[in-house]
Amino acid sequence: MHSKDLERLIDSFERSTLVELKYTQGNTNVHLGRRQQTPVEVAETTLKPAAAAVMPTPSPQPNEHLIVAPMAGIVYLRPSPAKPDFTSIGSQVSEGDTLAVIEAMKLFNPLEAEFACEIVEILVADGEDVERGTPIYRARKVNHV
């Protein structure tokens, strides 16, 4: 399977309401699944106009990592407008902590920390439309929280 075909398969899966997909072609086996949804309270917001200029992707420092959107959608940095952000600059988070929620096709998908880290920079605004791969946070790995 070519990488373009795999990307199309993943994009189709992300746009669908399927929970799991298994695909086999020759020696290629692909298994896609969604994580269990975390209940999150999100109020409706008004749409914001798209930014006129494309911002360049920031380059992380040697000991820093970019935490990116795993799918296209609207990113929410807090569980609801009345509640504080999931995290902030300087906060240390543990692996598995929810950092944001991405709304895609009326589903709210948690963006979880893949490792213990300190948030160095927040690269998007609450309620902003993002594409898959858009940097959300710049973080520095830590040994423990």
Side-chain angles (χ1 to χ4, degrees), residues 9 13 18 20-25 28-33:
L9 182 65
F13 178 73
L18 294 174
E20 183 177 47
L21 173 71
K22 292 181 180 179
Y23 178 80
T24 302
Q25 180 183 25
T28 303
N29 293 311
V30 178
H31 182 186
L32 302 173

Side-chain angles (χ1 to χ4, degrees), residues 15-16 36 38 57 60 69 74 81 83 87 94 103-104 120 137 144:
R15 288 191 305 269
S16 76
Q36 185 176 358
T38 302
T57 301
I74 300 171
K83 296 198 176 174
T87 190
S94 299
E103 179 185 5
V120 175
Y137 295 100
H144 54 44

Side-chain angles (χ1 to χ4, degrees), residues 44-133:
E44 290 197 26
T45 59
T46 56
L47 293 176
K48 297 178 183 175
V54 175
M55 298 298 289
T57 301
S59 298
Q61 299 301 317
N63 62 341
E64 294 177 346
H65 302 274
L66 293 177
I67 299 172
V68 300
M71 65 190 66
I74 300 171
V75 66
Y76 295 102
L77 302 178
R78 51 189 170 176
S80 73
K83 296 198 176 174
D85 290 353
F86 287 108
T87 190
S88 58
I89 295 173
S91 295
Q92 290 195 358
V93 297
S94 299
E95 179 180 344
D97 285 356
T98 300
L99 303 175
V101 175
I102 299 177
E103 179 185 5
M105 297 192 62
K106 307 266 184 206
L107 293 174
F108 297 94
N109 305 284
L111 173 63
E112 296 175 347
E114 294 180 12
F115 47 84
C117 61
E118 176 184 351
I119 302 300
V120 175
E121 185 178 8
I122 301 170
L123 303 169
V124 297
D126 187 56
E128 186 175 324
D129 283 324
V130 296
E131 295 297 321
R132 183 174 68 173

